[in-house]
């Protein structure tokens, strides 16, 4: 069922969606007799250049002016091994480039919901293994993907990846999608201190905790990435999850979360340096930006509170254990037999409670604190995307200014009577007219994308939080029920003091 | 006891009323502290007495007393020679509002940078802490008076009666007392106790055992108290954190979900658990650390009496040798022996009843603490499960 030809067909469709040239698309569609004879063979598609590129004008996959809505209702049929009708629905979307920017998202969201129900992919990151020794050592993680989605070549794939591979993946996705307004989930942060301990070979509790924390973060990162409908189908993502060998990501300094942050900040700088301040005609964007600013502040506060909780809970555990020992000694010293026994029992109960506190603090941490950390980083990505839109607007405005200049220059030349220069000026005018049009299209597209992305993000956020909070509350319930058990067992002992 | 706090508009004034549901065993003299007012640093306790004894002028009356008055009463009793053979109930510790005061300071400083909800929450925390300190200090002052009233000798003490009845300010008397005794006992180096007590050549089996027990137990209970205090403080910190978290969660929740609001109720439950644990367990340990010290003080006095007796023997021998002042020396020796015997006799009774009292108190408090912990935990569970239901059904 899953022949390579078919797979290439699927990948080709994914690329085909990036094609802007109408004629090319028509030609492709006309030439397809059957789904198996893919438009272009897999070899024609260079795997590393699937992102839209601005530079090469001869590139077939040049600059996607219209990023076809990959969440469109037609997606599912596209991805299945269906007959040719699957291809056709793609056309209408591509041929009509001027989609209403103020698309009413609720319709789209409903369809997204449908798609989400059939979203079937499980990813786990496990079995951290240390490879090598000393400062050159690194951890390798097993990444297992279980899925029934057809874009994957197998039901279950296992690969080995190291941390820099994850960073490399994020870097590629960010450079491909962020400027289009897609919220690309950031990879976990590097940690020099944490890693050095692991490299040096300290087998203590803190390095074990560090590795576990990282493993869990990497897993969440991948899950968030594939939850994004566009990223799920990205060839880099597929390659990351499936191929046994991955080219080593180079210069991971630039690829770290911080590096991407710098990229984001550069966009922000560009925005700040704009000579013409953006006249926000769309209140939605202004409102949303403000909302995200507030959310950022709130989340950071919350994160700080939770970290405080984790710390205090650990303290409580330590102090309870210490009290338990002291109570035991007091029991030994007590000369009244029944009271002495009761005190020893009390010491035992407190010891058990100490263990409960420890377990609870793990839940505090892994469930809540890490989730909050993830969202603080995600919000940064969201803010970055808003900045990209401003950058797009600035580019459009700059093009308009340039066009105006060229027009003025042409008008001047008209009087100067220099025919050859006039021709050049006219050509330049045409060129810049094109760029202005392009700029406007880009801006509208990114605006549209952001609206959709933000809608999706907010839905996910509410769901994420709800799921995690439920889990957390359940852990609290468990702790309390254990407490009840212990104290109910102790009560008769206390009553037996005579 | 049921406490109902009343907060005046001036934050620095706090009043607490309590409704006593405890029945005092002996109806002839019933003392309680129904009311307390905290103004700045001073706490004014209302000491309420109901009595059938004819030595009092009225059958029921109340007087306002400060902490220093209690200390005065304690000191006069300690320095009364007749009571040397008794365990003197330990003085209540000074009311310690340092914790709440710190919080109030923080509240005042941070008011401008907090949201309305955060401010309200901190204020809530503050009130809870004040209430907790209040409960403790009232309890410990009350117990002091009740120990005195239930002791056959102390209840008849003249100064005790003055303390209960005198409707004027006691501060004049307090100053006089200080001048008289000059805080003599307080200035004594307590560490001399241990050396003196352990140095005594004990003939009496009972006292030998008691001495060994008290010396070891006092160390252990002091340690247990310190550890319990740390544990309770941590517990309170965790409850405080829940408070902040629930507030912050409210702000970030996309939907105005009541389940998130339940988190703040959860904080109240955690806080109650921590407070009750403190009241029943930590306070119990604190109290008995002091009581053990009082018992040791008794042993100290007896040991000193024994030393005096041994010295008087030596003096008598010397007098007999010299042939001078023999009668005087004999008289001295007889008195010393009498004192020592009296102390030993009453001391034995006191220490025996002390053990019984200690066992009863531990039993009562451990049971009450356990029952409260179970109650709070069950409360937590139902709250949490309610929240989970709401969240799941959304």
């Amino acid at each position: 069922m899953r022949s390579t030809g078919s797979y290439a067909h699927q990948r080709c469709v994914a690329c085909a969606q990036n094609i802007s040239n109408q004629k090319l698309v028509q030609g492709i569609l006309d030439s397809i007799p059957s789904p198996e004879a893919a438009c272009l063979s897999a070899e024609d598609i260079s795997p590393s250049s699937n992102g839209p590129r601005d530079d090469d004008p001869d590139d077939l996959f040049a600059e996607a002016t219209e990023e076809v809505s990959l969440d469109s209702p037609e997606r599912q049929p596209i991805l299945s091994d269906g007959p040719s009708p699957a291809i056709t629905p793609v056309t209408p979307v591509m041929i009509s480039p001027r989609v209403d920017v103020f698309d009413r998202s609720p319709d789209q969201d409903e369809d997204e919901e449908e798609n989400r129900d059939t979203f079937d992919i499980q990813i786990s990151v496990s079995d951290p293994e240390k490879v090598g020794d000393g400062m050159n050592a690194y951890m390798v993680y097993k990444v297992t993907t279980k899925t029934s989605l057809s874009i994957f070549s197998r039901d279950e794939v296992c690969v080995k990846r190291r941390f820099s591979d994850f960073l490399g993946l994020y870097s590629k996705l960010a450079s491909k999608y962020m400027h289009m307004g897609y919220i690309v989930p950031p990879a976990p942060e590097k940690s020099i201190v944490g890693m050095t301990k692991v490299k040096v070979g300290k087998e203590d509790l803190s390095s074990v905790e560090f590795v576990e924390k990282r493993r869990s973060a990497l897993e969440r990162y991948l899950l968030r990435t594939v939850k994004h409908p566009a990223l799920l189908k990205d060839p880099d993502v597929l390659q990351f999850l499936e191929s046994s060998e991955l080219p080593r990501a180079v210069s991971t300094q630039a690829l770290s979360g911080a590096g991407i942050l710098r990229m984001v900040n550069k966009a922000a700088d560009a925005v700040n340096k704009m000579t013409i301040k953006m006249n926000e005609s769309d209140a939605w964007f202004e409102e949303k930006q403000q909302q995200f600013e507030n959310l950022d502040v709130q989340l950071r506060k919350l994160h700080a509170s939770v970290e405080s909780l984790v710390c205090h809970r650990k303290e409580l555990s330590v102090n309870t254990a210490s009290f338990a020992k002291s109570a035991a000694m007091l029991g030994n010293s007590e000369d009244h037999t029944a009271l002495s026994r009761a005190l020893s029992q009390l010491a035992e109960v407190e010891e058990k409670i100490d263990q409960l506190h420890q377990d609870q603090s793990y839940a505090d941490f892994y469930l809540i604190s890490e989730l909050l950390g993830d969202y603080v980083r995600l919000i940064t990505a969201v803010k970055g995307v808003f900045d990209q839109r401003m950058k797009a607007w600035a580019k459009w405005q700059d093009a308009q200014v340039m066009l105006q200049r060229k027009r003025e220059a042409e008008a001047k030349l008209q009087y100067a009577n220099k025919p050859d220069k006039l021709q050049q000026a006219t050509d330049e005018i045409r060129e810049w007219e094109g760029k202005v049009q392009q700029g406007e299209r880009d801006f509208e597209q990114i605006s549209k994308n952001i609206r959709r992305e933000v809608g999706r993000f907010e839905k996910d956020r509410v769901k994420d939080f709800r799921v995690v909070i439920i889990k957390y509350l359940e852990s609290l319930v468990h702790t309390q029920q254990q407490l009840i058990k212990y104290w109910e067992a102790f009560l008769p002992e206390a009553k037996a003091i005579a | 006891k049921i406490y109902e706090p009343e907060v005046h508009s001036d934050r620095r004034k706090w009043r607490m009323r309590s409704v006593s549901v405890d029945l005092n065993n002996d109806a002839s003299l019933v003392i309680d502290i129904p009311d307390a007012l905290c103004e700045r640093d001073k706490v004014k306790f209302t000491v309420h007495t109901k009595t059938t004894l004819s030595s009092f002028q009225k059958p029921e009356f109340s007087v306002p007393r400060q902490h220093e008055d209690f200390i005065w009463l304690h000191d006069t009793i300690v320095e009364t020679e007749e009571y040397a053979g008794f365990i003197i109930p330990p003085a209540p510790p000074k009311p310690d509002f340092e914790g709440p005061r710190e919080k109030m300071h923080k509240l005042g400083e941070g008011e401008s940078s907090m949201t309305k909800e955060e401010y309200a929450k901190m204020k809530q925390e503050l009130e809870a802490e004040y209430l907790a300190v209040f409960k403790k200090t009232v309890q410990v002052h009350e117990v002091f008076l009740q120990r005195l009233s239930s002791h056959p000798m102390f209840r008849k003490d003249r100064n005790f009666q003055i303390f209960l009845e005198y409707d004027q300010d006691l501060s004049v008397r307090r100053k006089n007392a200080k001048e008289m005794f000059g805080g003599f006992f307080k200035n004594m180096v307590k560490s001399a106790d241990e050396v003196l007590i352990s140095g005594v050549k004990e003939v009496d089996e009972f006292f030998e055992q008691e001495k060994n027990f008290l010396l070891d137990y006092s160390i252990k209970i002091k340690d247990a108290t310190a550890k319990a205090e740390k544990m309770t403080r941590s517990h309170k910190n965790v409850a405080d954190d829940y408070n902040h978290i629930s507030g912050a969660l409210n702000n970030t929740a996309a939907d105005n979900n009541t389940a998130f609001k339940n988190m703040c109720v959860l904080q109240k439950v955690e806080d109650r658990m921590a407070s009750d644990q403190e009241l029943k367990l930590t306070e119990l340990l604190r109290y008995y650390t002091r009581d053990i010290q009082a018992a040791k003080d008794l042993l100290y006095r007896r040991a000193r009496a024994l030393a005096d007796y041994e010295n008087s023997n030596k003096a008598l021998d010397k007098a007999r040798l010299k042939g001078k002042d023999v009668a005087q020396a004999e008289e001295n020796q007889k008195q010393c022996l009498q004192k020592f015997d009296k102390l030993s006799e009453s001391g034995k009774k006191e220490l025996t009843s002390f053990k019984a009292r200690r066992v009863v108190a531990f039993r009562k408090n451990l049971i009450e603490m356990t029952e409260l912990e179970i109650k709070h935990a069950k409360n937590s569970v139902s709250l949490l499960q309610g929240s989970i239901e709401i969240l799941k059904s959304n």
Side-chain angles (χ1 to χ4, degrees), chain A residues 312-313 319 322 334-335, chain B residues 227 234 241-242 355 358:
Chain A
H312 285 145
R313 182 104 58 192
N319 290 339
S322 162
E334 175 61 61
D335 62 353
Chain B
K227 303 279 161 66
S234 291
D241 286 334
Y242 273 137
K355 182 188 334 263
R358 185 176 81 248

Side-chain angles (χ1 to χ4, degrees), chain A residues 295 298-299 301-302 305-306 308-310 312-313 315-317 319-323 326-327 329-330 332-336 339 342-343 346 350 357 360 364 458 461-462 465-466 469-470 472-474 476-477 480-481 483-484 487-488 490-491 494-498, chain B residues 113 115 118 210 213 216-217 220-221 223-224 227-228 230-231 234-235 237-238 241-242 244-245 248-249 251-255 260 263 266 270 273 277 281 285 355 358-359 362-363 366-367 369-371 373-374 376-378 380-381 384-385 387-388 391-392 394:
Chain A
L295 186 60
Q298 293 305 324
L299 281 182
K301 263 201 203 150
L302 185 56
S305 296
V306 173
S308 170
L309 173 67
V310 170
H312 285 145
R313 182 104 58 192
E315 253 176 46
L316 177 57
S317 158
N319 290 339
T320 307
S322 162
F323 173 72
S326 189
M329 300 217 37
L330 187 64
N332 283 341
S333 177
E334 175 61 61
D335 62 353
H336 185 272
L339 179 55
L343 285 171
L346 178 66
E350 295 287 353
H357 286 313
Q360 183 61 58
D364 293 341
E458 299 202 304
R461 175 169 75 91
V462 171
F465 270 71
R466 174 159 58 232
I469 298 224
I470 289 178
Y472 181 66
L473 293 181
E474 286 177 341
L476 288 178
V477 167
Q480 296 295 323
Q481 284 172 333
L483 273 177
I484 294 174
W487 286 118
E488 282 185 339
F490 175 72
L491 191 57
K495 290 192 168 155
I497 302 170
Chain B
S113 64
T115 65
E118 285 175 339
E210 280 301 306
F213 166 69
D216 182 48
Y217 197 78
K220 302 282 161 60
I221 197 168
D223 184 60
K227 303 279 161 66
K230 267 178 122 174
M231 181 173 73
S234 291
H235 209 156
N237 285 341
V238 169
D241 286 334
Y242 273 137
H244 299 145
I245 289 173
L249 260 182
N251 290 334
T252 60
D255 32 8
F260 293 129
M263 284 286 272
L266 185 68
E270 282 286 330
M273 271 175 123
Q277 182 186 65
L281 183 64
L285 292 172
K355 182 188 334 263
R358 185 176 81 248
V359 172
F362 267 73
R363 180 178 189 276
L366 286 177
I367 292 175
M369 176 187 78
T370 308
E371 288 174 342
E373 294 288 311
I374 292 174
H376 292 319
K378 286 191 171 157
S380 273
V381 169
L384 288 166
Q385 283 175 334
S387 297
I388 294 175
L391 281 170
K392 279 188 170 164
N394 258 11

Side-chain angles (χ1 to χ4, degrees), chain A residues 50-65:
Chain A
N50 276 333
R53 298 266 216 88
D54 295 351
D55 26 31
D56 190 352
D58 292 327
D59 190 345
L60 283 176
F61 307 103
E63 196 166 316
T65 52

Side-chain angles (χ1 to χ4, degrees), chain B residues 246-372:
Chain B
S246 73
L249 260 182
N250 259 347
N251 290 334
T252 60
D255 32 8
N256 221 347
N257 212 316
T258 48
F260 293 129
K261 292 193 164 90
N262 275 349
M263 284 286 272
C264 96
V265 188
L266 185 68
Q267 174 269 330
K268 285 211 180 78
V269 176
E270 282 286 330
D271 189 60
R272 287 295 301 283
M273 271 175 123
S275 294
D276 285 339
Q277 182 186 65
E278 179 172 33
L279 217 54
K280 300 293 166 191
L281 183 64
T282 314
E283 276 298 293
L284 173 75
L285 292 172
R286 277 198 197 111
Y287 186 77
Y288 275 95
T289 305
R290 289 194 292 271
D291 223 6
I292 293 278
Q293 187 58 48
K296 275 166 67 182
D297 287 344
L298 169 60
L299 283 188
Y300 170 76
R301 290 192 289 272
R302 178 176 169 276
R304 207 174 50 135
L306 181 58
D308 286 346
Y309 173 61
E310 285 176 353
N311 287 339
S312 74
N313 269 337
K314 289 197 194 116
L316 181 59
D317 286 344
K318 239 206 276 185
R320 282 195 178 135
L321 225 59
K322 283 202 183 142
K324 233 171 53 165
D325 298 321
V326 173
Q328 207 181 13
E330 275 178 352
E331 183 57 38
N332 191 25
Q333 189 230 40
K334 198 166 82 173
Q335 279 191 355
C336 282
L337 181 60
Q338 259 179 2
K339 183 163 162 217
F340 174 69
D341 281 341
K342 191 168 136 214
L343 282 187
S344 296
E345 193 192 318
S346 80
K348 203 179 239 172
K349 268 197 266 187
E350 286 281 301
L351 288 169
T352 310
S353 68
F354 170 64
K355 182 188 334 263
R357 196 176 59 237
R358 185 176 81 248
V359 172
V360 164
F362 267 73
R363 180 178 189 276
K364 174 167 176 282
N365 278 290
L366 286 177
I367 292 175
E368 283 177 1
M369 176 187 78
T370 308
E371 288 174 342
L372 281 170

Side-chain angles (χ1 to χ4, degrees), chain A residues 35-186:
Chain A
E36 300 312 308
C39 41
L40 297 155
S41 65
E43 298 87 76
D44 287 358
I45 304 162
S46 72
S48 58
S49 65
N50 276 333
R53 298 266 216 88
D54 295 351
D55 26 31
D56 190 352
D58 292 327
D59 190 345
L60 283 176
F61 307 103
E63 196 166 316
T65 52
E66 297 312 314
E67 178 52 35
V68 170
S69 165
L70 295 164
D71 304 307
S72 66
E74 295 78 40
R75 193 192 89 175
Q76 214 36 40
I78 290 170
L79 294 181
S80 68
D81 283 348
S84 55
I87 302 288
T88 351
V90 178
T91 335
V93 189
M94 288 200 294
I95 289 181
S96 52
R98 287 302 180 92
V99 181
D100 185 9
V101 178
F102 302 102
D103 215 348
R104 254 174 289 107
S105 7
D107 295 330
Q108 270 186 341
D109 282 2
E110 268 172 58
D111 296 318
E112 278 187 57
E113 271 315 316
E114 276 178 43
N115 292 338
R116 216 100 52 121
D117 291 334
T118 49
F119 180 81
D120 173 23
I121 176 169
Q122 285 171 42
I123 301 187
S124 64
V125 173
S126 60
D127 304 321
E129 251 178 70
K130 185 160 146 196
V131 171
D133 254 323
M135 288 314 287
N136 291 325
Y138 57 92
M139 293 301 280
V140 153
Y141 303 86
K142 185 162 90 163
V143 178
T144 312
T145 309
K146 289 199 188 118
T147 177
S148 64
L149 294 175
S150 53
I151 45 169
F152 290 88
S153 56
R154 301 201 290 286
D155 282 354
E156 182 167 337
V157 189
C158 279
V159 293
K160 292 240 164 94
R161 295 285 179 255
R162 56 185 292 189
F163 186 66
S164 54
D165 294 333
F166 289 80
L167 295 183
L169 175 66
Y170 171 62
S171 145
K172 287 197 200 132
L173 295 177
S175 59
K176 273 198 262 183
Y177 295 104
M178 199 149 78
H179 71 95
M180 292 201 295
Y182 283 29
I183 301 171
V184 181

Side-chain angles (χ1 to χ4, degrees), chain A residues 124-392:
Chain A
S124 64
V125 173
S126 60
D127 304 321
E129 251 178 70
K130 185 160 146 196
V131 171
D133 254 323
M135 288 314 287
N136 291 325
Y138 57 92
M139 293 301 280
V140 153
Y141 303 86
K142 185 162 90 163
V143 178
T144 312
T145 309
K146 289 199 188 118
T147 177
S148 64
L149 294 175
S150 53
I151 45 169
F152 290 88
S153 56
R154 301 201 290 286
D155 282 354
E156 182 167 337
V157 189
C158 279
V159 293
K160 292 240 164 94
R161 295 285 179 255
R162 56 185 292 189
F163 186 66
S164 54
D165 294 333
F166 289 80
L167 295 183
L169 175 66
Y170 171 62
S171 145
K172 287 197 200 132
L173 295 177
S175 59
K176 273 198 262 183
Y177 295 104
M178 199 149 78
H179 71 95
M180 292 201 295
Y182 283 29
I183 301 171
V184 181
E189 288 299 316
K190 283 178 122 184
S191 161
I192 298 176
V193 175
M195 251 342 261
T196 311
K197 273 208 199 144
V198 172
K199 287 183 191 192
V200 163
K202 286 186 112 204
E203 279 298 320
D204 64 351
L205 189 64
S206 67
S207 40
V208 169
E209 275 182 18
F210 171 79
V211 171
E212 171 54 30
K213 187 173 149 185
R214 175 161 280 190
R215 181 209 67 77
S216 172
L218 291 173
E219 195 174 87
R220 293 194 306 273
Y221 164 66
L222 287 180
L223 283 168
R224 284 210 179 89
T225 304
V226 299
K227 259 210 301 203
H228 192 299
L231 299 180
L232 171 59
K233 289 176 0 203
D234 182 279
D236 282 318
V237 171
L238 295 172
Q239 184 188 45
F240 180 91
L241 292 175
E242 290 194 315
S243 50
S244 45
E245 283 304 314
L246 207 62
R248 175 85 207 276
V250 290
S251 90
T252 51
Q253 259 119 0
L255 304 180
S256 71
I260 297 303
L261 221 64
R262 256 178 269 127
M263 194 171 105
V264 166
N265 287 338
K266 266 204 242 154
D269 286 338
V271 165
N272 289 335
K273 291 205 189 87
M274 272 176 2
T275 41
I276 313 163
K277 229 13 188 180
M278 179 164 179
N279 178 11
E280 188 58 83
S281 51
D282 192 346
W284 186 91
F285 282 92
E286 206 168 305
E287 212 180 276
K288 281 297 167 185
Q289 258 186 299
Q290 192 54 52
Q291 259 180 40
F292 280 111
E293 284 296 328
N294 294 342
L295 186 60
D296 193 16
V297 170
Q298 293 305 324
L299 281 182
R300 282 175 201 272
K301 263 201 203 150
L302 185 56
H303 193 202
S305 296
V306 173
E307 293 198 311
S308 170
L309 173 67
V310 170
C311 177
H312 285 145
R313 182 104 58 192
K314 282 203 180 132
E315 253 176 46
L316 177 57
S317 158
V318 165
N319 290 339
T320 307
S322 162
F323 173 72
K325 286 203 188 80
S326 189
M329 300 217 37
L330 187 64
N332 283 341
S333 177
E334 175 61 61
D335 62 353
H336 185 272
T337 342
L339 179 55
S340 164
R341 208 181 58 231
L343 285 171
S344 305
Q345 300 284 19
L346 178 66
E348 275 181 34
V349 169
E350 295 287 353
E351 236 180 79
K352 288 197 203 138
I353 291 180
D354 146 50
Q355 188 57 50
L356 265 186
H357 286 313
Q358 255 185 48
D359 295 342
Q360 183 61 58
S361 82
Y362 286 138
D364 293 341
F365 181 69
Y366 282 110
L367 287 178
I368 303 285
S369 182
E370 287 286 88
L371 171 76
L372 291 172
D374 287 351
Y375 268 88
V376 166
R377 277 194 299 278
L378 273 167
I379 299 278
T380 312
V382 172
K383 295 206 292 195
V385 140
F386 277 92
D387 287 339
Q388 293 288 341
R389 176 175 171 267
M390 304 258 256
K391 206 167 137 197

Side-chain angles (χ1 to χ4, degrees), chain A residues 397-416:
Chain A
Q397 296 306 311
D398 290 345
Q400 282 184 331
V401 166
M402 201 47 124
L403 177 63
Q404 186 59 28
R405 277 204 206 128
K406 295 294 178 192
R407 286 203 173 123
E408 285 168 2
E410 195 221 22
K412 276 203 197 124
L413 286 173
Q414 291 243 334
Y415 287 110

